[in-house]
Amino acid sequence: MRPIKFFFIGCMTAGLLCACSESEVIPTYDVNLRYEMPTDIGSYSVESGILSFTELNSGVFTEIQLADTESARLAPGTYNYEGTMTVMDAGVKRTLRTVGRQVEVTSATSSLDLSWFFYNPDNSLVFSEIFVTGSLNAKGTGGLYDSYFRIYNNTDEVQYADGLAIVESKLTNTDNNTIVTPEAQRNVNFLAQTVYVIPGGGHDVAIQPGQSIKIVDQAINWGEEVSGALDHRDADFEWYDEVTTGSIRDTDNPSVPNLDKWFSYSATIWLPSNQCNRSYALVKFPEGMTPEAFLATYVGDYTYRSSVTGKEMVGNKCYRIPHSWIVDGVNLCPTEVYTISALDSSIDMSYKAISEKNSDKNRFGNVFIRRQSGISTTGNVVLMDTDDSAHDFEVKPVR
């Protein structure tokens, strides 16, 4: 149970509300509001907020400003309610939400408990699962290529994923080098070494409220190779790298559509870092952006000063992503080797570790899963999105 924080204690105060005729009056009552906050919120203050009630029989709508009042004046009835509140939590601005259905208010109702959960109204599409280690191979020495990303619609409206890109950071979160180039500074742009884009004309890839799509490396049944590995034949998309030289080949399932490959640093196939030490982002390009325009304009070559030699060196094979294009971003890194995040703190203020040790083989077969935060007004699961990956994600076995 979450702890209930009592903000005020009071008794019901009867009032009068004129109804349709002068002889008929409807009593109203001051219902005290008690906040049940997330367990991991610290000392906070309410900045602003709105709480609205709708009486289901009469349709009467009541709205209150949470920063100005400590109670809601309501007539007896059955109510649905929803509210959004902004708080300062240890110097960080956070948004919370509360939802209730068919709540009875009677003459005996002296208080109402509001259960608040973290909520980010700006992020409609989020990573719900990130599996980059792969299932353990038959020899037990490393991971398979059954990695995947799951993108979730965290709203109550249909969202379209056409043109949405999955990108991997050029910089690792173990990097001690000093970036010299101003445009490559972490607080200015995100440097991406892969850009794979969901195809579509704008309304072709619909994700229903509370639903998700799965994007995989290879849309095959990996369980045929290693018992317990994943079957990805149900994938919505796969990223496919056509290779014509050398011995490495990618596998293409013709029944599963491929992502559009705008760029990859790899001359062969892209494998997400199974060390879980890079960052990933969902990117929505400005309207009208083409691959040609992006590759011509946002080249990310940069200069850095080596933490080992102190000499200036050049980094390349990457592209700049302005922060305003990023829909969602996640930093990953084992605890013992973390130094600084590839994503700016405005996108993700921390990182999620799959393990304490960098060489821990137990990381294989584990997936990053975004935690559930609450339930929306229409009954869909709302995933936690506080722009703090250490808080928003948990690590679980993929099977």
Side-chain angles (χ1 to χ4, degrees), residues 53-338:
F53 293 86
T54 302
E55 207 288 311
L56 301 182
N57 298 302
S58 64
V60 172
F61 179 81
T62 303
E63 184 176 276
I64 63 173
Q65 301 292 324
L66 293 176
D68 300 332
T69 185
E70 299 178 342
S71 63
R73 195 170 181 82
L74 301 171
T78 302
Y79 290 86
N80 286 351
Y81 68 82
E82 61 179 300
T84 303
M85 178 170 60
T86 300
V87 303
M88 290 298 296
D89 174 21
V92 178
K93 183 175 290 188
R94 300 187 185 278
T95 303
L96 297 99
R97 195 175 189 190
T98 186
V99 174
R101 298 182 186 81
Q102 297 186 341
V103 176
E104 297 289 340
V105 173
T106 69
S107 60
T109 304
S110 61
S111 62
L112 177 64
D113 295 333
L114 304 179
S115 180
W116 294 91
F117 57 88
F118 290 112
Y119 172 68
N120 189 337
D122 296 327
N123 283 12
S124 54
L125 295 173
V126 298
F127 287 116
S128 60
E129 299 177 21
I130 299 176
F131 183 56
V132 291
T133 60
S135 300
L136 196 62
N137 62 27
K139 295 181 179 179
T141 57
L144 298 174
Y145 300 164
D146 57 345
S147 51
Y148 71 89
F149 298 88
R150 190 175 290 279
I151 301 172
Y152 182 81
N153 179 357
N154 214 24
T155 75
D156 284 335
E157 299 178 354
V158 177
Q159 300 292 327
Y160 293 92
D162 309 50
L164 191 70
I166 294 179
V167 304
E168 181 182 65
S169 67
K170 167 68 173 182
L171 304 176
T172 68
N173 297 318
T174 66
D175 197 339
N176 276 317
N177 299 321
T178 301
I179 305 298
V180 177
T181 305
E183 293 82 3
Q185 299 289 336
R186 292 171 176 83
N187 64 342
V188 178
N189 286 295
F190 178 64
L191 296 182
Q193 67 175 5
T194 62
V195 182
Y196 289 84
V197 181
I198 297 174
H203 291 84
D204 296 322
V205 186
I207 306 179
Q208 298 299 317
Q211 299 298 312
S212 65
I213 59 173
K214 184 172 73 169
I215 300 175
V216 307
D217 186 350
Q218 298 179 29
I220 64 175
N221 181 9
W222 288 94
E224 294 179 353
E225 294 191 18
V226 177
S227 177
L230 301 179
D231 185 351
H232 283 330
R233 290 174 296 177
D234 64 343
D236 297 284
F237 294 94
E238 64 179 358
W239 65 87
Y240 173 67
D241 298 302
E242 185 175 0
V243 182
T244 58
T245 61
S247 60
I248 299 177
R249 293 291 186 273
D250 206 353
T251 300
D252 185 22
N253 183 342
S255 300
V256 176
N258 295 326
L259 299 182
D260 291 337
K261 181 179 178 179
W262 284 23
F263 176 76
S264 175
Y265 72 96
S266 175
T268 56
I269 62 176
W270 171 50
L271 301 175
S273 172
N274 69 32
Q275 293 179 312
C276 303
N277 59 7
R278 294 185 185 268
S279 300
Y280 298 90
L282 298 177
V283 174
K284 193 70 173 179
F285 294 102
E287 186 173 355
M289 180 64 74
T290 64
E292 294 77 16
F294 172 72
L295 296 175
T297 308
Y298 292 92
V299 176
D301 292 1
Y302 63 99
T303 301
Y304 67 92
R305 185 173 296 109
S306 170
S307 61
V308 177
T309 65
K311 296 181 179 180
E312 287 195 357
M313 305 180 72
V314 174
N316 54 21
K317 294 186 178 181
C318 61
Y319 284 83
R320 291 180 284 112
I321 304 289
H323 293 150
S324 60
W325 297 0
I326 296 178
V327 176
D328 187 34
V330 180
N331 295 312
L332 308 178
C333 196
T335 305
E336 71 170 358
V337 292
Y338 174 79

